[in-house]
C-alpha cells in the first residue's frame, strides 16, 4: 500500500566504524545507545562528575593527544559523543559513531562557509551576526528550526539535521539541560534579533501568553476539558502511538486527465474536482475514496487566464454546482485582480469577476467560504477575500440584490459588503472559517488572529508568532482548535478560556485574558525531515472535515515533499502522551503515520465525514500529486482508534 512509519526505530550500536578528525577509521565497543522510538531497555552511560572530567582533561593534555592539543582545544565541560545516521530509509539504515569524544560550543558569526570563516566569528555578543552550533570541526550550523532539533531528556540526547542527521550524547544531566537552554536562547535571538532576557521575551509574547513564554507554567487543563465522552484521555498512561494502532487499508490510484493537477476541490456531496491549466476533471465520491467519472470540463480559449497562468485556488459554492477559480499570480506576486466563475453543470465559465472598492481595482491573494459548510448552500452568493492588509466579504449580487452575470455587463464587479483595509503591518497570508462563520487569519510574522463573525475590524484574540510565517491555517468546526502550518512544523492552538463569570468561551467571542494554554507543535523526526529533503516544506495542514455541530475532527494531515503525514488528533491533545515526557519548552509530538508517494504532493485532504463507514471511523484520505490522485481508506479495527 505504501504507508510507512517514522524511521527512528532502529537499533543503535556503538560497534560501528567512525572517522575521527584525522580521517582514520576505527572500531569501538561501548555502552548500548538507546534509540528515541525504541521501547526496549538499554544500558546507560554511568554518571560522570565534574571532578572526573577535570581528571580526564588533565590526562589527555599530559598525553598530548589531539583532543588536548592547541590545534583542536577541548572544553570537556562541553564534551559530547557524536553519532551519524546512515542508510536513509533503506533496510541498512543505522546510527554509527562519528566521534567518540568531541565538544560543542555556540558562537556568533557573520557567515557560514568559506576557508576563512573563523575570521568572521565574533568575540562577544551584540546586535551583529547570528548564533551557530559548532561540534568539533565537523559541524557548523545556524541555530534555527531548520535543524529540526529533537530532544530526549531520559537519554541525555539531541538529534538534528545538518547535511545529514546527527545525534549528540551528553555525559551528565546538567550538561544536557544547559545545552537545551542555550540552544533555545540562541534560537530566540536569531529569530527576533534581541537577547533572550525575561523582559525581551515578555515584549515579544506579551504578559497574557506566559504559557508560551514558560510552557512549564502553562495550564493544560483546557486541553483536557475541551474533550468529552469517548474523546477524553484516561491520563493514567501514555496512549499507544498512532503508528502502532492505525492501519491504512486500501489504496485506489488513477492518473489525472488533461495535464498536471494544480489544485484539489473536495465536495461533500456527489463529486470532487481536480483542476489543471486546461480544465477541470470531475470525479465521483465514494465511501472508499474518489474515482474518475470520465467527465472533463475543458476551458475555452477565451476563458484562458491572463498571462496563461493556471488557477491555483478552486472554491466550491452554491450547493457545489459552481466553482470560483482564482489565479493568484500578478507580476510575479501571489495575488489576483479577479476570478472566474465556472458553472459545473454546463461546463462553462459564466462570469469573470473583478475585485473593486470605491471604483478602484484591488487585489486578493486568497478566498474562502463564509462558513465551514456554506459550499453546501444552494443559495450562497457571498464569500470572503484576503490580501496583505485586507479582510472582506464579497457578494456576487449587485447592491439591489440582483445576481450579476455576463448577460448584463461585460465585466461585473463584486460588491464589497463588509470588511476592513488595515493601514499596514498585518501581512495576512491565509485564512479559514468555523462552522458559524468566525474567521482565523495567519500572518507572515507568525501571528494568528481570531475575528468574530460580526466584525472584521478588530481581532478578538491575537496569538503571538513563534518566528516562522504561517503559510496555511485551518480551524475545527466548533472553533476550539486552530492548526497553523509553517515550513518546518505545525502549531496546534486551543482557543478555549473561562471568562470572569465562569463560562467557557473561545477566543473568537471574547478576549482570552492571561491564562491562555500553551500550543503544541507537530514535527517530523530529524531522520524523516532529512529524507523529505532540505527544500521540501510543510504545506496545507488540515483537520479532517466535519460540518455538523457536536462532531469532533479525528485526524490532522499535512504534506511535505513526497510525504503525507497524519497525526491522531486525540493523541496530540493528550497531555500524558509519551512524546511530551522529558521535554523542555513547548510540547512537540512526533507520533504520526507517513504515506509516501513517488511525486511531490500537491495536497492531502480527508473527505467529508459522511464518507466514513462503520469499520473505518475516518473518511478516506485523498492525496493529489501532479499526475495522479490516490484514495486511502483507514481502518479502526486495531486498538487505539475510537469510534
Amino acid at each position: 500500500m505504501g504507508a510507512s512509519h517514522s524511521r527512528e526505530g532502529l537499533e543503535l550500536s556503538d560497534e560501528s566504524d567512525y572517522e575521527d578528525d584525522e580521517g582514520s577509521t576505527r572500531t569501538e565497543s561501548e555502552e548500548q545507545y538507546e534509540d528515541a522510538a525504541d521501547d526496549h531497555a538499554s544500558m546507560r552511560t554511568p554518571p560522570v562528575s565534574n571532578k572526573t572530567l577535570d581528571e580526564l582533561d588533565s590526562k589527555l593534555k599530559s598525553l598530548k593527544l589531539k583532543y588536548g592539543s592547541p590545534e583542536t582545544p577541548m572544553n570537556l565541560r562541553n564534551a559530547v559523543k557524536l553519532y551519524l545516521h546512515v542508510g536513509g530509509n533503506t533496510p541498512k539504515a543505522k546510527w554509527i559513531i562519528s566521534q567518540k569524544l568531541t565538544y560543542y560550543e555556540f558562537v556568533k558569526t557573520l557567515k557560514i562557509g568559506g576557508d576563512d570563516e573563523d575570521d568572521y566569528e565574533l568575540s562577544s555578543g551584540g546586535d551583529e551576526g547570528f548564533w551557530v552550533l559548532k561540534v568539533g570541526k565537523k559541524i557548523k550550523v545556524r541555530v534555527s528550526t531548520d535543524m529540526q532539533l529533537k530532544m530526549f531528556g531520559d537519554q541525555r540526547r539531541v538529534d538534528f539535521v545538518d547535511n545529514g542527521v546527527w545525534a549528540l550524547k551528553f555525559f551528565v544531566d546538567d550538561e544536557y539541560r544547559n545545552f537545551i537552554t542555550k540552544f533555545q536562547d540562541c534560537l530566540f535571538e536569531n529569530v527576533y534579533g534581541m537577547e533572550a532576557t525575561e523582559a525581551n521575551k515578555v515584549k515579544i509574547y506579551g504578559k497574557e501568553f506566559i504559557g508560551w513564554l514558560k510552557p512549564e507554567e502553562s495550564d493544560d487543563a483546557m486541553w483536557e476539558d475541551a474533550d468529552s465522552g469517548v474523546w477524553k484521555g484516561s491520563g493514567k498512561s501514555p496512549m499507544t502511538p498512532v503508528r502502532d494502532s492505525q492501519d491504512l487499508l486500501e489504496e485506489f490510484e488513477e492518473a489525472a486527465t488533461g495535464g498536471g493537477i494544480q489544485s484539489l476541490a473536495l465536495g461533500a456531496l456527489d463529486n470532487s474536482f481536480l483542476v489543471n491549466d486546461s480544465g477541470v476533471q470531475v470525479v465521483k465520491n465514494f465511501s472508499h475514496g474518489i474515482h474518475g467519472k470520465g467527465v472533463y470540463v475543458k476551458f475555452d480559449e477565451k476563458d484562458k487566464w491572463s498571462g496563461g497562468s493556471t488557477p491555483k485556488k478552486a472554491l466550491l459554492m452554491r450547493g457545489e454546482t459552481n466553482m470560483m477559480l482564482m489565479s493568484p499570480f500578478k507580476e510575479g506576486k501571489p495575488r489576483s485582480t479577479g476570478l472566474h466563475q465556472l458553472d459545473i453543470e454546463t461546463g462553462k465559465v459564466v462570469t469573470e469577476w473583478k475585485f473593486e472598492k470605491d471604483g478602484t481595482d484591488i487585489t486578493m491573494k486568497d478566498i474562502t467560504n463564509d462558513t465551514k459548510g456554506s459550499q453546501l448552500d444552494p443559495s450562497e452568493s457571498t464569500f470572503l477575500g484576503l490580501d496583505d492588509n485586507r479582510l472582506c466579504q464579497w457578494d456576487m449580487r449587485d447592491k439591489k440584490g440582483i445576481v450579476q452575470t455576463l448577460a448584463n455587463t461585460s465585466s461585473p464587479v463584486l460588491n464589497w459588503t463588509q470588511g476592513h483595509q488595515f493601514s499596514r503591518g498585518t501581512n495576512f497570508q491565509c485564512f479559514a472559517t468555523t462552522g458559524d462563520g468566525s474567521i482565523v487569519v495567519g500572518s507572515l510574522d507568525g501571528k494568528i488572529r481570531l475575528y468574530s463573525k460580526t466584525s472584521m475590524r478588530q481581532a478578538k484574540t491575537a496569538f503571538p508568532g513563534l518566528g516562522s510565517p504561517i503559510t496555511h491555517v485551518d480551524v475545527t468546526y466548533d472553533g476550539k482548535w486552530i492548526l497553523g502550518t509553517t515550513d518546518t512544523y505545525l502549531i496546534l492552538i486551543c482557543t478555549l478560556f473561562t471568562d470572569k463569570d465562569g463560562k467557557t468561551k473561545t477566543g473568537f467571542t471574547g478576549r482570552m485574558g492571561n491564562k491562555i494554554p500553551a500550543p503544541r507543535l507537530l514535527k517530523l523526526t530529524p531522520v524523516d525531515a532529512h529524507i523529505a529533503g532540505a527544500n521540501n516544506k510543510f504545506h496545507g495542514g488540515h483537520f479532517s472535515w466535519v460540518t455538523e455541530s457536536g462532531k469532533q475532527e479525528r485526524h490532522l494531515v499535512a504534506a511535505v515533499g513526497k510525504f503525507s503525514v497524519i497525526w491522531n488528533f486525540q493523541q496530540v491533545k493528550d497531555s500524558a502522551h509519551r512524546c511530551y515526557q522529558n521535554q523542555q519548552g513547548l510540547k512537540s509530538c512526533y507520533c504520526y503515520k507517513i504515506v509516501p508517494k513517488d511525486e511531490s504532493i500537491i495536497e492531502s485532504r480527508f473527505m467529508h465525514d459522511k464518507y466514513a463507514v462503520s469499520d473505518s471511523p475516518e473518511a478516506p484520505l485523498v492525496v493529489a500529486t501532479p499526475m495522479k490522485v490516490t484514495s486511502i481508506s483507514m481502518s479502526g479495527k486495531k486498538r487505539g482508534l475510537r469510534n
Side-chain angles (χ1 to χ4, degrees), residues 458-604:
Q458 185 173 8
K460 289 290 187 180
T461 302
F463 296 102
L466 297 178
S468 299
I470 303 296
T471 59
H472 188 272
V473 70
D474 196 13
V475 59
T476 56
Y477 185 83
D478 57 19
K480 294 179 180 179
W481 308 94
I482 294 166
L483 183 66
T485 304
T486 76
D487 289 349
T488 53
Y489 59 85
L490 307 182
I491 179 171
L492 181 66
I493 297 173
C494 178
T495 71
L496 291 173
F497 73 101
T498 303
D499 69 8
K500 60 183 180 180
D501 298 322
K503 295 180 179 179
T504 300
K505 297 181 177 179
T506 72
F508 291 100
T509 59
R511 304 193 75 83
M512 294 183 67
N514 60 2
K515 289 189 177 180
I516 301 174
R520 306 269 165 91
L521 304 182
L522 312 182
K523 298 179 180 179
L524 291 179
T525 66
V527 173
D528 285 335
H530 181 61
I531 293 171
N535 296 322
N536 290 316
K537 303 170 181 177
F538 272 123
H539 61 90
H542 289 277
F543 293 101
S544 49
W545 187 15
V546 301
T547 57
E548 184 180 336
S549 233
K551 284 208 169 185
Q552 178 67 73
E553 293 81 353
R554 293 177 178 271
H555 291 89
L556 311 103
V557 63
V560 54
K562 298 178 181 179
F563 294 163
S564 283
V565 189
I566 306 166
W567 283 266
N568 181 306
F569 190 16
Q570 169 59 17
Q571 214 169 37
V572 174
K573 290 185 286 186
D574 187 355
S575 297
H577 179 45
R578 70 176 186 181
C579 271
Y580 304 141
Q581 297 176 359
N582 298 305
Q583 288 192 9
Q584 287 179 239
L586 295 176
K587 291 183 172 69
S588 298
C589 183
Y590 296 90
C591 278
Y592 48 77
K593 189 84 169 181
I594 285 178
V595 180
K597 307 306 295 179
D598 55 5
E599 297 180 284
S600 291
I601 294 170
I602 302 298
E603 192 163 4
S604 295

Side-chain angles (χ1 to χ4, degrees), residues 321-380:
T321 63
N322 279 241
M323 181 185 295
M324 310 304 283
L325 294 164
M326 188 169 79
S327 179
F329 288 94
K330 181 178 175 60
E331 298 174 355
K333 297 180 179 180
R335 51 183 53 85
S336 175
T337 56
L339 44 78
H340 292 67
Q341 181 182 348
L342 175 71
D343 187 317
I344 295 169
E345 295 175 335
T346 64
K348 300 292 183 181
V349 172
V350 295
T351 312
E352 183 176 350
W353 295 99
K354 282 186 177 181
F355 297 124
E356 183 181 297
K357 186 177 189 299
D358 301 329
T360 303
D361 289 344
I362 62 174
T363 59
M364 292 280 110
K365 65 164 50 175
D366 199 6
I367 54 174
T368 196
N369 297 105
D370 285 350
T371 70
K372 202 81 168 174
S374 60
Q375 70 184 58
L376 303 175
D377 181 0
S379 63
E380 181 185 32

Side-chain angles (χ1 to χ4, degrees), residues 453-464:
K453 60 183 179 180
T454 59
S455 175
M456 300 181 187
R457 179 173 292 272
Q458 185 173 8
K460 289 290 187 180
T461 302
F463 296 102

